Amino acid sequence: KNQVEQSPQSLIILEGKNCTLQCNYTVSPFSNLRWYKQDTGRGPVSLTIMTFSENTKSNGRYTATLDADTKQSSLHITASQLSDSASYICVVSTTGGGNKLTFGTGTQLKVEL
Amino acid sequence: NAGVMQNPRHLVRRRGQEARLRCSPMKGHSHVYWYRQLPEEGLKFMVYLQKENIIDESGMPKERFSAEFPKEGPSILRIQQVVRGDSAAYFCASSPGQGVHEQYFGPGTRLTVT
């Protein structure tokens, strides 16, 4: 069964600090891994997409890593801001079948002053 | 370029009524996906459609749920005879094609069944 697990479930950090979110997956056959940011009451917004051959990708203060051998990914947020408070969702796509996505339950991040 | 539009944003239905959720994809996108997010759970794939065709409906409940994406107009997710367990946020996403394409999500429709 395809599964995506994320940790921690929730996290509180002070503004300006860095943090790293983790994702483990058992999805086959693997096509790509995505990280999304979802603000409360809004739809998810894509941060990064990585294919099998990519092991790191950055988008501003967000850097995602992928280890396809161990089936693990991380999302590192640098110099956090209050606006980073949101749910961060790890999503894995399988090959074929029309780009079907399997979602993790997300890490709820809160950035405080 | 307007993003993915969904309406209504909030929908309240009594048990047994029908719910119709609409999704207008981004301009130029012919691939539409529907997802459901139950409280405290991750998004779950429901159905994938291209214009006038259902490509993959493996995530759709077998009864009461149907989806269409006509040649003209928005994609429609229809839930007949709603039950309390249908209360959830329903998200639509669109993409320009298959494969490693970005899926752009709409703001969602929050369905409450009373």
Side-chain angles (χ1 to χ4, degrees):
Chain A
K1 182 181 177 184
N2 291 338
Q3 284 189 313
V4 178
E5 295 183 352
Q6 294 187 241
S7 62
Q9 193 172 15
S10 62
L11 183 61
I12 300 174
I13 62 173
L14 294 177
E15 187 181 29
K17 297 297 185 184
N18 305 334
C19 66
T20 300
L21 315 180
Q22 303 292 341
C23 173
N24 298 308
Y25 62 92
T26 54
V27 176
S28 181
F30 176 85
S31 174
N32 57 82
L33 185 144
R34 308 159 185 236
W35 282 93
Y36 282 86
K37 178 185 178 187
Q38 185 177 21
D39 292 309
T40 302
R42 309 285 289 271
V45 175
S46 177
L47 298 175
T48 63
I49 299 179
M50 289 182 291
T51 60
F52 184 87
S53 59
E54 297 173 293
N55 56 24
T56 187
K57 185 164 278 189
S58 292
N59 177 3
R61 294 181 296 104
Y62 302 103
T63 299
T65 65
L66 173 64
D67 185 335
D69 291 330
T70 61
K71 299 186 177 181
Q72 295 179 325
S73 175
S74 67
L75 180 69
H76 186 74
I77 305 175
T78 304
S80 61
Q81 300 175 359
L82 296 178
S83 59
D84 291 333
S85 296
S87 178
Y88 290 84
I89 308 172
C90 177
V91 185
V92 181
S93 174
T94 53
T95 56
N99 203 19
K100 189 185 301 184
L101 305 182
T102 301
F103 289 76
T105 53
T107 291
Q108 189 67 44
L109 175 66
K110 185 173 183 183
V111 181
E112 295 181 336
L113 289 172
Chain B
N1 187 10
V4 177
M5 312 280 282
Q6 288 188 250
N7 67 79
R9 293 293 310 276
H10 299 274
L11 182 61
V12 179
R13 284 287 178 266
R14 282 201 280 269
R15 279 179 297 168
Q17 291 184 318
E18 178 180 287
R20 280 189 178 231
L21 287 61
R22 294 174 185 77
C23 169
S24 296
M26 287 182 71
K27 189 175 180 180
H29 288 190
S30 58
H31 297 246
V32 166
Y33 307 80
W34 285 94
Y35 299 90
R36 177 166 64 175
Q37 186 172 34
L38 294 169
E40 307 302 321
E41 292 189 18
L43 279 80
K44 296 281 196 304
F45 168 80
M46 297 182 75
V47 62
Y48 163 43
L49 310 103
Q50 292 183 32
K51 284 284 188 182
E52 300 184 275
N53 288 306
I54 296 174
I55 307 302
D56 182 347
E57 56 181 346
S58 58
M60 288 273 272
K62 293 285 187 285
E63 297 176 351
R64 302 188 297 109
F65 285 72
S66 62
E68 62 176 10
F69 189 14
K71 188 177 180 180
E72 301 290 337
S75 175
I76 307 285
L77 179 67
R78 183 179 176 209
I79 311 173
Q80 296 178 290
Q81 300 175 323
V82 296
V83 301
R84 287 228 173 95
D86 296 334
S87 295
Y90 292 83
F91 290 95
C92 164
S94 74
S95 73
Q98 288 191 35
V100 190
H101 282 286
E102 188 58 73
Q103 288 190 22
Y104 296 87
F105 282 79
T109 293
R110 274 143 193 86
L111 172 66
T112 301
V113 179
T114 61

